[in-house]
Every structure is written in C-alpha cells, then in structure tokens.
Amino acid sequence: MVAVVVAGVLAATGGTAWAMWRLSGSGTSTTTAASTIDLKIVARPRPDTPLFPGARTDLMVTVENPNPFPVRVTLVHIGTGPITADAAHRDAGCVTTGISPTKGAKGVSWPVGAGSSERFLLRDALQMRDDSDSACQGATFSIPLTASGSSDA
C-alpha cells in the first residue's frame, strides 16, 4: 500500500492540517507448475547372495530421479508382472523360474535428491522355490518393480 502525505497551511486559522491518501491496487500473476517425470528403477541381487532353490536374496535398488525437485520413495512393489529368465535360458527350458517376491510391497523411506540417483538395499526381497527348472542355472532374471512416493521438497 502506498501512502502520500500532503501538508497544507491554513492561512485563515494559522494551523496545520495533515491528510493521508490511501491507495490500493490489484492485478494477476501467473506461474506454471512443473510436470513430473517418472523415476527410473533398476535392481540387481547382491553378488554375494546368488539365488538357488530354497535361497533368499537382497536387492540393490538404484532409483534415478530426473525431476527438478527431491522425492521420497515410500513403497516398492516387487513382481507386478511375470518374472522371466534371459532369452538363452528360456530357450534352454527355463520356463518355471521359481522366483517370487518374499513380500509383494515393501514400505520404505528413501530420499532421492533432485536430478540425482541413489542406491538402496532392499533386504530379503526375493526367494527361489524348489520348483525352479534346472535350466535356470546361471540365468539372469527380469523382475518387474514399481515404486511410489512424493515430492520431498
């Protein structure tokens, strides 16, 4: 608000009078909200804990955040689709991988800075059942993952 003070001399009375004029205004401003970009998630089993029938393993999960703001991943869902072996092992007969998540969804609290990536350990994430095809030995498996979270700004 802008105030303007005007002083005048009243010749007739010899006194001083003060008047304050109050001014106001209005207008509009515009801004654009940023669009979000999906996170990229890649997971690999720990090299020191390979899978075999009856075994469980941890996953090392890398989360890449291409957004211009930090995010916090709060849920990782493992196995939202079929778990498959690489093409060579599939062709050799690895159809029943026997691999399944130990728990479908895992609550986490992973902070990932703006425009950066971070690695996290997801303990006891996968297991291989005894019904795994023998042709799955040495295979590399594709395991679908999804994650959710929110801005951590």
Side-chain angles (χ1 to χ4, degrees):
M1 182 178 318
V2 177
V4 177
V5 178
V6 177
V9 177
L10 299 177
T13 61
T16 303
W18 293 87
M20 183 179 290
W21 294 351
R22 297 190 186 269
L23 302 173
S24 64
S26 65
T28 60
S29 175
T30 61
T31 188
T32 303
S35 297
T36 59
I37 304 169
D38 288 342
L39 302 174
K40 180 180 177 185
I41 303 170
V42 177
R44 304 208 187 296
R46 288 181 52 171
D48 59 339
T49 56
L51 281 172
F52 54 87
R56 291 177 175 225
T57 190
D58 302 334
L59 285 177
M60 292 300 301
V61 180
T62 302
V63 179
E64 183 180 328
N65 176 18
N67 291 290
F69 53 86
V71 298
R72 181 163 303 270
V73 177
T74 56
L75 186 70
V76 176
H77 198 280
I78 305 167
T80 57
I83 296 174
T84 58
D86 60 84
H89 284 84
R90 267 194 325 268
D91 293 345
C94 179
V95 177
T96 302
T97 65
I99 296 177
S100 62
T102 57
K103 184 177 180 184
K106 293 192 181 267
V108 297
S109 182
W110 296 343
V112 184
S116 69
S117 63
E118 298 288 339
R119 289 181 65 183
F120 304 96
L121 180 64
L122 195 57
R123 295 200 177 277
D124 196 31
L126 297 174
Q127 62 188 356
M128 182 179 254
R129 297 182 313 272
D130 291 335
D131 65 346
S132 176
D133 290 331
S134 185
C136 293
Q137 294 178 50
T140 299
F141 300 98
S142 294
I143 302 158
L145 297 172
T146 56
S148 60
S150 61
S151 169
D152 201 24

